[in-house]
């Protein structure tokens, strides 16, 4: 579990986040939502040490982030970034990169590494892409491969920065269903999402960021009743009850 305590973070000469206290809980999908520039991606990157924090604490399984080596951290938390380079290798080889934290040098893949990669590609609906070169894939196909690479890392915490980017509606739903499957396995899943209704449908909790501060944390039902989403996004959020639960929309 990753815990942020009074986190202050940003870039040289500019603070983006101030006083954020938030836990990434096992067994839950947490959606980070908020207007553009509210600090969602900065929060994820700082939680992994990719950006230096300006204040506060970051604990990973109760240990201070700065006491962990990159390899130790990579075995505890996987990260899907907004964008990645596109090397001229097959999708299958790309997914195997997620196994690097478990390999010594020189890297030699073991049977369990191939098995983990295959399972990850299946969960990310990328199995049929395994033999295709990355440069020949569409943006949506690459996104599924990158997701599979993060899943192949087999960590207890999975951080996803805009995982539904480039995906059509059906594949967006598949990604969120995969996130819930990971949570059911006891993992903590954190996703930056721009589609508020998608977040309300699939997340167990939402963390609402605005102006660099955490405005509220709660279940979709709690935040709907609170009214914070209407104020933050300047929309009127509505819902309708279905056999599968509440479905949200806005005007």
């Amino acid at each position: 579990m990753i815990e942020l305590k009074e986190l202050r973070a940003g870039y040289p000469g500019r603070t983006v986040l101030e006083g954020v206290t938030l836990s990434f809980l096992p067994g839950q999908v947490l959606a980070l939502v908020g207007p553009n520039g509210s600090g969602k991606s900065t929060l994820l990157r700082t939680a992994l040490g990719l950006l230096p924090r300006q204040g506060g604490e970051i604990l990973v399984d109760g240990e201070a982030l700065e006491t962990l080596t990159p390899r130790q951290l990579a075995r505890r938390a996987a990260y899907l970034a907004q964008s990645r380079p596109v090397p001229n290798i097959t999708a299958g080889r790309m997914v195997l990169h997620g196994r690097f934290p478990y390999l010594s040098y020189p890297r030699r893949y073991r049977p369990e590494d191939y098995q983990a990669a295959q399972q990850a590609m299946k969960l990310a609906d990328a199995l049929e892409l395994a033999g295709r070169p990355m440069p020949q894939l569409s943006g949506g196909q690459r996104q599924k491969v990158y997701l599979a690479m993060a899943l192949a890392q087999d960590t207890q915490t999975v951080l996803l920065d805009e995982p539904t980017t480039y995906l059509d509606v059906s594949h967006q739903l598949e990604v969120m269903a995969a996130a819930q499957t990971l949570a059911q396995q006891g993992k903590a899943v954190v996703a930056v999402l721009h589609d508020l209704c998608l977040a309300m449908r699939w997340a167990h909790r939402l963390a609402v960021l605005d102006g660099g501060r955490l405005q509220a944390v709660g279940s979709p039902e709690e935040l709907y009743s609170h009214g914070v989403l209407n104020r933050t996004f300047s929309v009127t959020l509505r819902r309708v009850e279905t056999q599968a639960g509440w479905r949200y929309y806005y005007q």
Side-chain angles (χ1 to χ4, degrees):
M1 180 173 72
I2 295 180
E3 301 171 86
L4 313 177
K5 298 185 176 182
E6 292 296 322
L7 178 67
R8 185 170 72 253
Y11 304 88
R14 182 168 69 95
T15 297
V16 176
L17 296 170
E18 185 74 56
V20 174
T21 296
L22 183 64
S23 296
F24 304 162
L25 302 178
Q28 291 191 356
V29 176
L30 171 67
L32 300 181
V33 300
N36 291 338
S38 59
K40 302 182 294 296
S41 296
T42 299
L43 189 152
L44 287 193
R45 297 185 68 198
T46 307
L48 289 171
L50 300 175
L51 289 175
R53 72 181 187 281
Q54 298 173 350
E57 291 182 90
I58 303 173
L59 301 178
V60 182
D61 297 333
E63 300 181 53
L65 174 67
E66 59 269 21
T67 67
L68 301 176
T69 66
R71 179 185 290 266
Q72 288 173 328
L73 182 59
R75 291 184 176 188
R76 302 189 190 192
Y79 174 54
L80 172 64
Q82 282 189 31
S83 60
R84 289 182 177 272
V86 185
N88 190 22
I89 60 175
T90 65
R93 301 299 292 184
M94 189 82 237
V95 174
L96 279 168
H97 284 192
R99 302 301 299 167
F100 281 2
Y102 304 96
L103 303 178
S104 58
Y105 188 83
R107 299 186 180 104
R108 291 188 176 90
Y109 296 116
R110 305 157 300 173
E112 55 264 40
D113 299 315
Y114 289 106
Q115 182 178 9
Q118 185 174 44
Q119 291 175 344
M121 285 187 286
K122 184 176 180 180
L123 185 57
D125 190 32
L127 197 56
E128 64 180 18
L129 304 174
R132 297 183 56 185
M134 290 292 293
Q136 296 180 14
L137 301 182
S138 68
Q141 290 171 327
R142 290 175 190 167
Q143 189 72 354
K144 290 194 287 185
V145 173
Y146 296 140
L147 174 60
M149 183 173 66
L151 300 183
Q153 209 166 316
D154 192 23
T155 58
Q156 282 303 110
T157 301
V158 181
L159 307 182
L160 309 172
D161 197 351
E162 300 187 36
T164 57
T165 299
Y166 305 120
L167 300 179
D168 58 36
V169 173
S170 65
H171 287 110
Q172 289 179 22
L173 299 180
E174 288 178 2
V175 166
M176 297 311 298
Q180 282 205 343
T181 297
L182 294 173
Q184 290 167 4
Q185 296 172 357
K187 298 179 186 293
V189 182
V190 185
V192 171
L193 295 173
H194 281 289
D195 188 328
L196 181 58
C197 293
L198 194 70
M200 295 287 281
R201 176 176 176 181
W202 292 97
H204 298 95
R205 291 188 304 151
L206 283 78
V208 184
L209 290 166
D210 192 18
R213 291 187 175 273
L214 187 62
Q215 302 299 319
V217 181
S219 68
E221 292 79 7
E222 290 170 339
L223 296 186
Y224 177 81
S225 300
H226 190 281
V228 64
L229 297 170
N230 290 348
R231 295 192 296 272
T232 301
F233 290 95
S234 299
V235 298
T236 301
L237 195 63
R238 304 291 190 192
R239 67 181 182 180
V240 59
E241 191 169 13
T242 71
Q243 291 182 344
W246 291 109
R247 292 294 180 263
Y248 295 86
Y249 63 98
Y250 42 81
Q251 297 175 324

